[in-house]
Amino acid sequence: MTFYEALVIAMEEKGISAADLSARTGFHQSYFSKLKNHHTKDVTWEKAIRIITAIGMTPDEFYEIQKRY
């Protein structure tokens, strides 16, 4: 499972839209589109933490989503 796939599940579970996530992280929605379409390199640790924190999860909670699927 990619980071983006886990992110989509986490967003659904937390009821967060793409616009909400963009506003919370300060990343443009096009960044998430590039992740989705594999047009960007893997997410850096700093960006991953910023995104995970913005959806209201800890890295461990996010990792559990990845392990479930």
Side-chain angles (χ1 to χ4, degrees):
M1 171 174 285
T2 67
F3 179 86
Y4 182 80
E5 291 167 337
L7 177 59
V8 169
I9 293 167
M11 288 169 61
E12 288 174 359
E13 288 182 4
K14 296 288 188 172
I16 297 172
S17 70
D20 291 337
L21 184 60
S22 180
R24 291 179 185 192
T25 60
F27 299 142
H28 194 274
Q29 287 187 32
S30 66
Y31 173 75
F32 298 105
S33 178
K34 289 176 184 176
L35 279 178
K36 176 182 179 182
N37 297 310
H38 308 287
H39 292 134
T40 189
K41 294 181 180 180
D42 289 334
V43 179
T44 64
W45 179 248
E46 291 83 11
K47 286 183 180 179
I49 293 300
R50 190 167 165 183
I51 292 166
I52 292 166
T53 302
I55 57 176
M57 297 181 111
T58 66
D60 287 337
E61 290 169 326
F62 190 83
Y63 181 65
E64 287 300 317
I65 289 174
Q66 290 184 302
K67 284 183 9 184
R68 270 191 268 157
Y69 300 92

